Amino acid sequence: LKGGVHLLHITHHIVHHALRITVHGSRFTHYFEIIIDKDIFGRIAFRISSTRKALCETGRNTMPEFISVIFDFDYTLADSSDGVVECTNYALHTMALASQPQDIICKTIGLTLPQTFEMLTGVDNAELKDRFSQLFLARADQVMVDLTHVYDGVEDALIALKDQGLKLGIVSTKYRYRIERILAREGLLELFDK
């Protein structure tokens, strides 16, 4: 990569519901396993396990040493699906359009709001997309932070990555101020580099 900077990018596109990551530090190798599944209610469940071994146990290999880990937010660090469903159906109802079921709305998470509107309604109209976006965002300012839940194990994994000297960041279509409020509520904001 450019300038010898190596980035490890973690997104919600995980094959076979598990992602195994090896992070090589100067003295330790850290192994992470992120498992995504559904709980008994059909909601996304997320679990991180990690182990660390000294290099004398693992031996050095040719994998480049990573200095940064970049996470997606939704379905990787946190589940905002309850908030997205609430805001989406609020906007649709206000526009006198039919509400949508949770499973259909959840498939739009990660899309832009205009894309979400078109996918849910089949309507490609710039004015209506803009109105939907305004209504969604107004409702999200009221409820999204409270309806977003950080997954179990995220704090431990982030601390372990920071202990390895790695820089942490997030790339998301979600607004920065909203992510920062969620992370601050959980005491995780200071773990991420600005």
Side-chain angles (χ1 to χ4, degrees):
L1 298 175
K2 289 183 180 177
V5 175
H6 300 284
L7 300 176
L8 179 59
H9 185 186
I10 302 173
T11 72
H12 63 282
H13 303 290
I14 296 176
V15 179
H16 304 303
H17 306 290
L19 176 63
R20 289 179 180 85
I21 302 164
T22 303
V23 178
H24 296 277
S26 57
R27 293 175 299 160
F28 295 95
T29 297
H30 213 118
Y31 300 93
F32 295 91
E33 182 172 61
I34 301 171
I35 298 171
I36 294 181
D37 208 341
K38 291 191 176 180
D39 65 15
I40 59 172
F41 302 106
R43 297 176 301 201
I44 297 294
F46 178 88
R47 181 168 46 90
I48 294 179
S49 64
S50 65
T51 56
R52 184 170 86 160
K53 293 187 178 181
L55 287 179
C56 61
E57 297 175 57
T58 62
R60 206 58 153 141
N61 65 30
T62 59
M63 185 175 177
E65 203 167 297
F66 293 104
I67 64 167
S68 299
V69 181
I70 301 173
F71 293 90
D72 191 2
F73 188 76
D74 289 311
Y75 289 151
T76 301
L77 298 176
D79 181 358
S80 64
S81 58
D82 289 343
V84 172
V85 170
E86 165 64 26
C87 296
T88 299
N89 278 330
Y90 169 81
L92 292 172
H93 177 75
T94 303
M95 296 173 72
L97 297 169
S99 297
Q100 296 292 321
Q102 180 168 345
D103 62 323
I104 299 298
I105 293 172
C106 286
K107 291 176 183 176
T108 69
I109 292 177
L111 299 178
T112 65
L113 292 175
Q115 290 170 332
T116 296
F117 178 80
E118 186 172 350
M119 182 173 171
L120 294 176
T121 65
V123 176
D124 183 10
N125 177 292
E127 277 185 35
L128 292 178
K129 288 178 180 180
D130 187 53
R131 178 71 176 137
F132 172 82
S133 298
Q134 291 172 1
L135 290 166
F136 182 103
L137 293 172
R139 185 65 175 153
D141 282 339
Q142 298 170 347
V143 302
M144 189 64 75
V145 171
D146 290 338
L147 293 177
T148 299
H149 312 286
V150 173
Y151 291 119
D152 292 338
V154 166
E155 181 177 9
D156 291 340
L158 295 176
I159 290 170
L161 290 168
K162 288 303 281 187
D163 286 347
Q164 288 289 315
L166 293 164
K167 293 182 179 181
L168 304 181
I170 294 172
V171 175
S172 177
T173 58
K174 191 178 291 298
Y175 284 127
R176 179 186 184 117
Y177 73 88
R178 195 165 288 134
I179 290 174
E180 288 181 342
R181 285 177 58 197
I182 294 163
L183 294 174
R185 181 195 69 200
E186 301 293 325
L188 302 176
L189 183 58
E190 297 308 313
L191 292 172
F192 289 90
D193 296 273
K194 303 257 177 177

